[in-house]
Amino acid sequence: MLVFAKRNLLLYFRDKSAVFFSLLAVFILIALYVFFLGDLIADGVPDFPAKHWLLLSWIIAGVVTVTSVTTTLGAFSVMVNDQATNAYKDFRVTPIKQSVLLGGYIISSLSIGFLMCIMTLLVANAMLFATGEPVLSFTQIIQSVSVIFLAVLTAGSMISLLVIFFKTSNAFAAASTVIGTLIGFLTGIYIPIGTLPAYLQNMIHLFPISHIAALLRQILMDAPMAEAFAQAPIEMKESFQLNMGVFFKVNGWQISPLVSVVYLLLTTIIFFILSASVMKYSRR
């Protein structure tokens, strides 16, 4: 399984276009923030201490969240290419078990997603330093890496089920572009959650990856929020957190980090079981 996963890793990084397109949504998000979203969001928020630090931490959490999905999705392009070229059928007539094949694709994709997210987090930390803002503490980095690991697992489980149904690389590339764009909306990154209608907010609360964004925001924005709202009423801080998707509230009940983690773990288990079942009975 590990040998097959290594083969997939080498194929992915050999294809520079696959690497680029898996990061395309991240580049778009950063460009939107620099040229459009940054000023728009900043203008909609009153001036307060550590405002730039706070909003920059918010966008970093969003970028890392998008990266966990798009890079993991892009890594599964190896599996789609194998199906498109019938290489997967060749593997199936060998003594290699189907579970080993699926495990190899999943391990390589999760490894790529995790590596890309760590690199994104390090670049974000360097950006904080370059702009004169406090860099992430050791505790924040460890907590962020833990959430990233969970994010990649969750995204990988959902994507592993999705990619089984793609037969051509062109269809997969088109779907990847659409998914990369939708992720930004479904996680409340392009538009703050609090500005959306109630039914859209409910959809975001149900979407597992949105909980990843919320967990990362709670970690990365903790220090700047403490400084920004040190002299402000607690109600103002809570309103800001709900509006920016730092915390979710459903029917008046605020979702705790533990509930989000359990929800993500259950999602991961369910989708991996579904992926294994569909792959087992697939005729491809």
Side-chain angles (χ1 to χ4, degrees), residues 225-263:
M225 275 196 300
E227 181 175 333
F229 295 96
Q231 306 298 325
I234 187 65
E235 293 80 8
M236 182 180 294
K237 180 179 180 180
E238 291 178 351
S239 176
F240 177 84
Q241 290 175 327
L242 292 174
N243 185 62
M244 301 299 286
V246 180
F247 287 98
F248 296 152
K249 183 173 285 189
V250 179
N251 295 327
W253 175 60
Q254 183 169 297
I255 299 175
S256 68
L258 178 60
V259 171
S260 291
V261 170
V262 171
Y263 181 55

Side-chain angles (χ1 to χ4, degrees), residues 9-270:
L9 285 167
L10 293 174
L11 286 178
Y12 173 78
F13 284 109
R14 187 182 301 170
D15 188 351
K16 305 303 181 184
S17 62
V19 177
F20 172 78
F21 282 108
S22 66
L23 291 170
L24 181 60
V26 178
F27 297 147
I28 292 174
L29 177 57
I30 293 174
L32 284 174
Y33 180 77
V34 171
F35 297 108
F36 178 68
L37 288 178
D39 292 336
L40 182 64
I41 296 172
D43 291 341
V45 176
D47 289 328
F48 47 72
K51 178 178 177 179
H52 182 264
W53 181 21
L54 184 62
L55 294 180
L56 189 56
S57 299
W58 181 80
I59 195 64
I60 288 173
V63 169
V64 174
T65 301
V66 171
T67 303
S68 70
V69 178
T70 58
T71 56
T72 305
L73 176 63
F76 271 105
S77 62
V78 176
M79 179 178 175
V80 176
N81 288 334
D82 284 346
Q83 294 180 152
T85 59
N86 291 323
Y88 183 72
K89 291 183 179 180
D90 295 337
F91 292 137
R92 289 189 63 179
V93 298
T94 66
I96 303 176
K97 294 182 179 180
Q98 193 158 322
S99 59
V100 173
L101 292 177
L102 179 60
Y105 287 124
I106 291 175
I107 289 174
S108 60
S109 298
L110 296 184
S111 300
I112 290 168
F114 185 73
L115 176 62
M116 292 295 197
C117 285
I118 296 300
M119 291 176 60
T120 302
L121 185 66
L122 293 177
V123 170
N125 209 27
M127 186 169 62
L128 286 170
F129 177 79
T131 55
E133 305 295 348
V135 297
L136 301 176
S137 66
F138 178 76
T139 300
Q140 285 179 306
I141 291 176
I142 295 300
Q143 291 174 334
S144 298
V145 169
S146 300
V147 174
I148 286 171
F149 181 74
L150 181 58
V152 172
L153 276 179
T154 305
S157 68
M158 298 172 70
I159 294 168
S160 64
L161 176 61
L162 178 66
V163 296
I164 293 174
F165 300 99
F166 286 101
K167 298 181 180 180
T168 66
S169 300
N170 289 336
F172 176 76
S176 298
T177 303
V178 174
I179 291 172
T181 303
L182 287 177
I183 288 296
F185 289 102
L186 292 175
T187 53
I189 295 170
Y190 294 146
I191 303 174
I193 294 174
T195 62
L196 298 173
Y199 73 94
L200 286 179
Q201 292 187 36
N202 292 332
M203 290 177 58
I204 290 174
H205 296 158
L206 289 173
F207 188 55
I209 305 302
S210 298
H211 290 260
I212 294 296
L215 289 171
L216 285 172
R217 288 166 186 153
Q218 291 164 30
I219 295 169
L220 302 182
M221 296 173 66
D222 182 59
M225 275 196 300
E227 181 175 333
F229 295 96
Q231 306 298 325
I234 187 65
E235 293 80 8
M236 182 180 294
K237 180 179 180 180
E238 291 178 351
S239 176
F240 177 84
Q241 290 175 327
L242 292 174
N243 185 62
M244 301 299 286
V246 180
F247 287 98
F248 296 152
K249 183 173 285 189
V250 179
N251 295 327
W253 175 60
Q254 183 169 297
I255 299 175
S256 68
L258 178 60
V259 171
S260 291
V261 170
V262 171
Y263 181 55
L264 290 167
L265 288 174
L266 289 174
T267 299
T268 300
I269 294 171
I270 291 171

